């Protein structure tokens, strides 16, 4: 049983959170730049660029969200293991 004074996670490394934030920002901001892709040409199977470009971003965004989730959960797992290791060392002393 842990007391409130015992941390449940070790110190965080900023790298994974920064990369996840950048990926999520790209996934959100690029589709909002409508003037960049509000054109008719080139067409793909008769579909104007405006529509197929937006549809292209659906799997791209899903991939970016998936990678972000993986990075953050991997870092969280590492931080929990660090905290468990510190608690184990405390108990041994």
């Amino acid at each position: 049983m842990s007391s409130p004074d015992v941390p449940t996670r070790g110190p965080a490394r900023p790298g994974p959170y920064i990369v996840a934030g950048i990926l999520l920002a790209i996934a959100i901001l690029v589709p909002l730049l409508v003037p960049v892709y509000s054109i008719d040409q080139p067409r793909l199977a008769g579909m104007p660029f405006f529509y197929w470009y937006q549809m292209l971003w659906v799997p791209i965004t899903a991939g970016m969200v998936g990678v972000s989730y993986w990075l953050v959960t991997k870092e969280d797992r590492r931080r929990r293991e660090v905290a468990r290791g510190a608690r184990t060392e405390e108990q041994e002393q």
Side-chain angles (χ1 to χ4, degrees):
M1 185 179 240
S2 68
S3 69
D5 296 343
V6 178
T8 59
R9 289 174 181 79
R13 292 184 303 190
Y17 297 107
I18 291 171
V19 172
I22 290 170
L23 289 174
L24 294 174
I26 290 169
I28 292 168
L29 295 176
V30 170
L32 291 176
L33 301 172
V34 177
V36 172
Y37 61 91
S38 65
I39 55 176
D40 186 53
Q41 299 294 329
R43 289 178 169 253
L44 181 66
M47 189 183 311
F49 180 75
F50 181 78
Y51 295 113
W52 68 260
Y53 179 80
Q54 291 178 68
M55 289 294 118
L56 181 66
W57 270 97
V58 172
I60 292 171
T61 298
M64 290 177 155
V65 169
V67 170
S68 297
Y69 176 79
W70 176 76
L71 286 169
V72 171
T73 54
K74 183 178 174 187
E75 175 63 9
D76 187 56
R77 221 174 294 121
R78 184 198 65 80
R79 291 176 64 199
R80 287 175 189 260
E81 288 172 6
V82 167
R84 271 190 227 118
R87 265 189 264 138
T88 305
E89 289 173 7
E90 269 182 19
Q91 291 171 355
E92 289 176 357
Q93 292 176 357

